[in-house]
Every structure is written in C-alpha cells, then in structure tokens.
Amino acid sequence: MQKLRQYCAYQERCHQETKYKCLELGLRGPEVEEALAELIADNFLNEERFAKAFAGGKFRIKQWGRKKILMELKQKQVSAYCIKKGMEEIDADDYAVVLLKLVEKKYLSLKGEQPIKRKYKTVQYLLQRGFETELINDALEQIAKNEAE
C-alpha cells in the first residue's frame, strides 16, 4: 500500500494506470479493488483531478489539440464526465493563439515547397497534433492572407 501511495503522490494517475501498478506489485483480484478503494478514500486517486491535469498539461506543454487529448483520455478509460471536466481546462482563446502560432511556424518552415504541398503538409502536421480541420483551415487562410499582403 505504501508503494501505491508513493506512486499516486508522485503525479496524478488514472484508475487504469494504478490498476496496472497493483498487478505489477503482485496484487490480484479483490485485493486490487480494495487497494483502489483505499487510495480513492484517502484522496490519493481522483480521476477528475487527473483529467484536468492531463488535459491542461498536454495542451500547455506539448501543445496537443483537443482531439488528441480526448483520444488519450478515452484510451486511459477515463469516464465521460471526467473527460468533459478535463477538456474545460483548455481556454478557447489560448487554443486559438497556440493553433495560429503552430500553423505559422510550420507553414513558414516549408518555404521551398509548392503552395499546395506546403498547405497539405501543414494541415497533416496539425491533424497529427489533434487540432480540428475547420480551425486549421481558418488559421491557414489567415496566414496565407497575411503573407500575400
């Protein structure tokens, strides 16, 4: 139990990660459920807090888009309610600023390419980072307009 407390205290964890850690430490069946229940009761494990920290961190530090963050949280089997709460951590204005900055940086780094290829590569790069297609296209138009002037 002490190892699990340290594991959860080090950084926010989701239930799935903690369950795997229990199995790693040799706990089986009902022991795992009891351990998780105790960690939740002692407030070492809180999925809503995890979702907020995860979404906010991935956006601010790694500059991931909403789609990628959403998929990662689903993959970690976080509840829909907690995912919703986590996604609220991303400010719409900050999101637009980061997207515009990433579009500009990528688009300008492809100066030698043909215009269509340049746009395509920029869109692909941002889709990989989890940004929405409509927002990417709007930002690209804005950058292209600024460059034409």
Side-chain angles (χ1 to χ4, degrees):
M1 233 13 242
Q2 189 55 39
K3 280 189 176 181
L4 284 173
R5 281 192 179 97
Q6 288 174 336
Y7 179 72
C8 292
Y10 177 70
Q11 73 179 40
E12 292 298 334
R13 308 283 182 181
C14 66
H15 294 314
Q16 182 195 31
E17 289 173 334
T18 311
K19 215 176 264 187
Y20 287 140
K21 187 66 175 178
C22 288
L23 296 173
E24 226 176 80
L25 293 172
L27 298 176
R28 295 287 179 261
E31 294 174 324
V32 173
E33 297 306 318
E34 286 171 24
L36 287 176
E38 195 174 320
L39 288 169
I40 292 168
D42 295 342
N43 208 19
F44 278 99
L45 198 57
N46 182 328
E47 208 162 62
E48 185 179 333
R49 198 172 57 207
F50 166 78
K52 286 180 174 182
F54 184 87
K58 292 298 181 190
F59 172 68
R60 280 189 306 279
I61 297 163
K62 291 199 172 185
Q63 296 181 327
W64 284 5
R66 286 189 188 109
K67 283 177 156 180
K68 189 168 184 173
I69 294 170
L70 186 75
M71 292 312 296
E72 283 288 321
L73 286 171
K74 281 183 180 177
Q75 195 173 22
K76 291 182 181 293
Q77 299 172 357
V78 174
S79 70
Y81 171 79
C82 292
I83 288 175
K84 185 175 174 264
K85 285 291 184 189
M87 297 308 275
E88 288 171 4
E89 287 295 296
I90 301 170
D91 182 58
D93 295 334
D94 292 343
Y95 193 74
V97 168
V98 166
L99 175 61
L100 197 60
K101 189 179 84 180
L102 288 172
V103 167
E104 194 169 13
K105 186 176 176 185
K106 184 66 178 177
Y107 193 74
L108 294 175
S109 74
L110 298 168
K111 264 209 174 355
E113 300 282 350
Q114 296 171 354
I116 291 176
K117 203 169 195 178
R118 193 175 176 190
K119 190 174 181 180
Y120 173 78
K121 284 184 175 183
T122 305
V123 169
Q124 289 304 308
Y125 169 75
L126 290 158
L127 286 174
Q128 273 184 328
R129 293 198 79 133
F131 288 93
E132 297 85 342
T133 313
E134 316 81 58
L135 297 177
I136 294 170
N137 289 332
D138 292 345
L140 258 175
E141 282 176 27
Q142 199 174 334
I143 297 296
K145 215 182 283 176
N146 290 348
E147 198 177 46
E149 290 172 358

